[in-house]
Amino acid sequence: MAPSAGRRSALLGLGGALLAAAAPAEQPTQIAPGVFVLPGVHEDASPTNGNAIANVGFIVGGASVAVVDPGGSLAHGQRLRRAVEAATPLPIRHLVLTHAHPDHVMGAAAFADLRPEVIGHARLPEALAQRREGYLRMLEREMGPAAAGSDALPPTRLVEDRFDLDLGGGRALSIAAHGPAHTDADLSLFDSATSTLWLSDLLFVERIPSLDGSLSGWMRALAALRDCPAARAVPGHGPPAVPWPTAGMALAGYLEALREGTRAAIASGLGIAEAPARVATTEAARWRLAESYHGRNVSTAYRELEWE
Amino acid sequence: MVRPLARRPLLAGALSLPWLAPAIGRAQGIEPAETPRRAERWRDLKEAIFDGRPTEPAGDALTLVAPTRALDAAAVPISLSLSADAAPRVRAIHLVIDENPSPVAAVFRAGPAGDLRALSARVRVDAYTWMHAVAEFGDGRLLETAQFVKAAGGCSAPVGTDLRAARERMGRMRMALPEGPPTGPERAVPVQIAVSHPNTSGLQIDQLSRLNIPAEFVRALRVLYRGAEVLRVECDISIAENPTFGFALAGEAGGELRVEAEDNRDRRFASAWTVGASG
């Protein structure tokens, strides 16, 4: 199944314009002044896409640049770094890791020599300690030799609740740490200068959400974020920018259906082995990659809700 | 990338298989080239677990059901059943997940007041693996059966999603009777029990965070009905977070069902329920 080594390196080494339609974007989209998003593709990690499957990007301040999620692989991180360097001469001083998932953090190695401040949720070190090794193995399995050199960086600043990140020139990002939601270590950012709410994987659009934290916690977090006076949001998967809060409604609907369906399954004595094929399948069918993630979401929801 | 086997706790304290370490260090795909290695691994495991006693194919006597492709590798539901003929004669069933760092996931032992005719559990699967079940009869005979389980990405979520919540309610138990209470000694009904526990495997110090997550797992569980032992389970880190087991219970309704559990830190948990006469 895997392409030959030669073909693989050729694909990874070429510019985006020469690649097939499925290839990840080479150029970032400026969604608001100084706010850049490099959009990911709706696929799982492969040698061809270099695990560039999540929306990552950067925010340019008056004195420095903050990278928001360094990418899913060394190559993805390097591509993001080139995009920053093409957009501004200002130094990259901060890496924000919005959560521990590999498609968001494994490109950090591309920024290691800059010795940036690495900002993460207070629970991020524990999450990385438990998962990083498995994620590295998974990348190697899915991407082959193209995974080499990919890795996260240890957080140097932990956010318990809120933290204001000053990028100079009057631009400050308000970073919020959430309770267990998409994962148990989610951060969101609000750029008041452009009224942009960077939600990363707290918001999925088009691609089916993956639940890896707390279903009820995610629903609560979304409800609270709905009141945020943002003009636009950046989803972790989906278009680079979407209108807020309307673009969160599909996600809220899916999570609600997942919760109600799973609660009903538990109440009726339907087992965890049978529930995935029976719960919220209509709602799931509206999303990309549902066949890969919905069953797992049901299983995760089941394990949470049976202890309610 | 794969930690040496010897570093992980094995189910039986004295059982140590350091010579197997190189075998699991190899690639863990499903290529035909893997077949001899997998067969050799099971032979080695059997030799170590059963002291070289021979096993025979189980045929219809013992059935292992597991998903061929696991949705959630952190909690793969499995079930084990014995034929009516075998059930009264089987003393123990060993569940082995060949490629897991700690392969012996659980040993179920029948108590004087129960049998192993219908069991279930949720297990962690670390890689594409053969899963084996071996029934041990009262006369010492061993019958084995197996199923191959694909659990790609399994190691990406080897632990619970919200460990803090699991720790906070550690020791809380649940009991469910999906088909109601038992109605007599001749008719068994399914029972599900669960203990809230993070059941973490423990890690070496992580090179990135310098954090060491200590191992905390349930190692033994005992079920009694009307004071008589129905089932004992010896288990460890291959059992999913919040260890959950199913078994069949026969007897007159209205008795007390008691579950006792103990973890590797010698913490003891117990709960009891009166199993209603008619709901």
Side-chain angles (χ1 to χ4, degrees):
Chain A
M1 288 298 287
S4 71
R7 180 171 151 77
R8 185 184 289 145
S9 57
L11 281 170
L12 287 168
L14 285 174
L18 296 175
L19 289 179
E26 182 74 15
Q27 298 302 325
T29 306
Q30 187 166 191
I31 60 161
V35 183
F36 295 82
V37 177
L38 194 60
V41 292
H42 294 325
E43 297 174 5
D44 284 323
S46 73
T48 319
N49 65 31
N51 202 26
I53 62 172
N55 291 337
V56 301
F58 54 98
I59 300 174
V60 182
S64 65
V65 178
V67 164
V68 185
D69 286 342
S73 65
L74 177 64
H76 192 203
Q78 287 166 338
R79 190 155 69 236
L80 181 60
R81 184 168 168 176
R82 285 196 299 274
V84 176
E85 288 162 357
T88 174
L90 291 174
I92 298 167
R93 293 240 167 88
H94 320 274
L95 283 190
V96 180
L97 307 182
T98 61
H99 60 295
H101 282 165
D103 51 332
H104 294 261
V105 304
M106 286 301 174
F111 301 88
D113 62 304
L114 303 175
R115 302 195 163 273
E117 176 183 54
V118 181
I119 301 169
H121 191 288
R123 289 195 188 187
L124 187 70
E126 187 176 357
L128 286 172
Q130 288 169 335
R131 292 156 176 250
R132 172 174 158 266
E133 193 183 323
Y135 287 158
L136 288 171
R137 236 176 333 187
M138 187 269 287
L139 273 190
E140 198 175 74
R141 190 174 60 226
E142 305 298 328
M143 291 173 59
S150 304
D151 205 347
L153 285 176
T156 57
R157 178 183 290 280
L158 300 182
V159 184
E160 286 271 3
D161 180 31
R162 283 182 183 279
F163 172 65
D164 284 331
L165 175 60
D166 188 355
L167 298 180
R171 188 163 220 162
L173 305 177
S174 172
I175 302 180
H178 296 267
H182 164 62
T183 70
D184 71 352
D186 299 316
L187 293 182
S188 65
L189 299 85
F190 184 64
D191 174 41
S192 53
T194 61
S195 194
T196 300
L197 180 61
W198 198 304
L199 287 175
S200 186
D201 280 8
L202 287 168
L203 177 62
F204 280 68
V205 177
E206 296 161 1
R207 180 187 175 117
I208 190 156
S210 75
L211 172 62
D212 198 14
S214 162
L215 177 54
S216 294
W218 198 352
M219 293 172 76
R220 277 194 302 275
L222 267 185
L225 286 163
R226 205 168 293 147
D227 298 329
C228 177
R232 67 187 69 78
V234 180
H237 299 270
V242 292
W244 187 253
T246 47
M249 288 171 66
L251 171 61
Y254 173 78
L255 296 179
E256 179 71 30
L258 181 62
R259 184 163 73 174
E260 292 320 302
T262 307
R263 276 180 177 158
I266 293 167
S268 72
L270 189 69
I272 196 170
E274 294 78 32
R278 305 266 301 273
V279 167
T281 48
T282 314
E283 289 78 4
R286 300 186 185 127
W287 298 78
R288 304 276 296 276
L289 298 179
E291 64 289 355
S292 304
Y293 293 91
H294 178 65
R296 179 155 184 223
N297 288 342
V298 175
S299 174
T300 305
Y302 194 106
R303 292 197 283 132
E304 172 185 340
L305 299 175
E306 67 186 349
W307 290 96
E308 273 187 327
Chain B
M1 292 281 180
V2 175
R3 262 176 243 113
L5 184 65
R7 295 259 185 122
R8 294 295 192 102
L10 263 155
L11 182 55
L15 185 64
S16 165
L17 309 167
W19 64 90
L20 288 179
I24 54 166
R26 288 176 213 142
Q28 297 180 332
I30 48 162
E31 306 81 27
E34 286 278 282
T35 305
R37 183 195 64 78
R38 291 185 186 281
E40 181 193 352
R41 176 155 179 81
W42 174 234
R43 273 198 305 275
D44 289 349
L45 283 169
K46 253 195 316 197
E47 174 76 25
I49 297 166
F50 302 106
D51 266 340
R53 288 154 59 195
T55 60
E56 305 157 43
D60 297 335
L62 169 67
T63 307
L64 164 65
V65 177
T68 49
R69 180 171 283 279
L71 290 171
D72 181 357
V76 180
I78 66 101
S79 62
L80 293 160
S81 54
L82 292 170
S83 66
D85 175 53
R89 298 184 290 129
V90 170
R91 293 280 173 78
I93 299 180
H94 304 251
L95 177 67
V96 182
I97 304 168
D98 292 16
E99 305 289 346
N100 270 13
S102 179
V104 183
V107 182
F108 300 88
R109 296 189 191 278
D115 64 36
L116 307 175
R117 73 180 78 178
L119 300 169
S120 68
R122 299 177 193 168
V123 299
R124 294 187 170 118
V125 175
D126 209 40
Y128 286 18
T129 187
W130 279 106
M131 208 180 267
H132 284 91
V134 178
E136 189 170 3
F137 284 68
D139 62 8
R141 226 159 37 106
L142 298 171
L143 296 191
E144 70 164 83
T145 187
Q147 190 178 327
F148 196 77
V149 177
K150 291 181 183 175
C155 32
S156 66
V159 290
T161 48
D162 188 359
L163 277 183
R164 211 166 287 187
R167 278 203 193 98
E168 279 161 9
R169 54 165 196 245
M170 185 188 282
R172 209 179 118 196
M173 294 194 194
R174 293 192 308 108
M175 189 275 295
L177 296 163
E179 294 174 20
T183 52
E186 299 308 317
R187 205 187 142 259
V189 294
V191 183
Q192 193 181 69
I193 53 164
V195 187
S196 184
H197 198 289
N199 231 49
T200 49
S201 58
L203 294 175
Q204 298 157 290
I205 290 175
D206 185 86
Q207 294 305 308
L208 185 69
S209 69
R210 300 276 156 200
L211 272 180
N212 186 4
I213 313 290
E216 293 179 276
F217 58 90
V218 172
R219 69 176 175 205
L221 189 137
R222 197 167 163 241
V223 181
L224 302 102
Y225 189 61
R226 294 180 179 273
E229 189 175 273
V230 174
L231 172 72
R232 264 187 301 144
V233 187
E234 296 151 25
C235 50
D236 76 359
I237 61 166
S238 287
I239 297 296
E241 176 191 319
N242 301 330
T244 301
F245 298 103
F247 58 94
L249 178 69
E252 298 298 339
E256 184 195 66
L257 182 75
R258 182 177 168 82
V259 176
E260 301 171 352
E262 161 186 312
D263 75 6
N264 64 319
R265 306 260 183 110
D266 294 328
R267 281 179 291 229
R268 285 161 204 277
F269 315 102
S271 281
W273 303 265
T274 299
V275 174
S278 57

